[in-house]
Amino acid sequence: PVVPPLAPGQISDLPEDPLGEARLRARASDFIGARAILEQYLASKTSWQERTATRLLLGQVYMELGMYNLASGQFYRVRKGEGGDAKVAAWYEVQVDLLRGRPRSAIKECTEYIEKYPHGHRASECLVVIGDAEAARGRLKDAKKAYEEYLAKPEHKKQMREEEMAL
């Protein structure tokens, strides 16, 4: 056993580059370590310039740890902002809502996502998410309709997902 460098109840100082260190830990699947850094960094006054990126990464870490409600809260805060991070956060919030058993919210958010960002890979994937969410609600005809809408687009013919959606 290794003796921890700090006594129980004490909080260690933040690393020199907290966000960079948290990214490294998250990439190494040390989500608990990344969470410890990100939560402390977010609570500090020094994070104001990187608050959006910190919240986005913390949401992803929470998602990996199965803390879907906490993840949704972080993604929601980023989504309400502007720029590319808001678009990414909106997508992850849809994913988390589906994981936490809120298919109706996922459908609503995907519909909003498609309206706000009509082009791109994630807008198309929202049709699949809507289908999955409708299936989770027990509305198989609506799920089939969403899947068929996805498959009707010519650019999706190459993806060979018909069998997946049929299941």
Side-chain angles (χ1 to χ4, degrees), residues 17 21 41 161:
D17 178 15
E21 179 64 26
Y41 184 49
R161 293 179 80 176

Side-chain angles (χ1 to χ4, degrees), residues 15-139:
E16 190 174 310
D17 178 15
L19 190 56
E21 179 64 26
R23 279 187 188 121
L24 288 174
R25 288 187 183 206
R27 284 188 195 127
S29 297
D30 178 12
F31 300 113
I32 294 171
R35 176 187 175 195
I37 292 171
L38 291 169
E39 286 177 342
Q40 184 181 355
Y41 184 49
L42 193 59
S44 73
K45 292 180 181 178
T46 59
S47 69
W48 68 273
Q49 289 181 321
E50 299 176 313
R51 193 143 299 164
T52 301
T54 302
R55 286 190 188 283
L56 190 57
L57 183 57
L58 184 58
Q60 291 171 333
V61 166
Y62 283 149
M63 195 165 92
E64 290 293 332
L65 292 172
M67 304 168 121
Y68 303 128
N69 289 335
L70 293 174
S72 181
Q74 296 301 324
F75 293 138
Y76 174 80
R77 286 182 177 107
V78 176
R79 178 174 63 93
K80 287 301 180 180
E82 296 294 325
D85 287 339
K87 183 178 180 180
V88 171
W91 172 250
Y92 279 117
E93 189 176 8
V94 167
Q95 298 296 313
V96 168
D97 281 343
L98 199 55
L99 289 170
R100 67 183 183 145
R102 297 193 175 197
R104 188 171 288 152
S105 295
I107 292 166
K108 179 180 173 251
E109 290 164 1
C110 253
T111 304
E112 291 172 2
Y113 187 95
I114 292 169
E115 288 172 10
K116 191 168 184 177
Y117 311 107
H119 306 290
H121 173 70
R122 290 185 182 125
S124 293
E125 284 300 309
C126 260
L127 295 172
V128 177
V129 171
I130 290 171
D132 292 346
E134 291 291 10
R137 294 174 64 193
R139 303 174 107 193

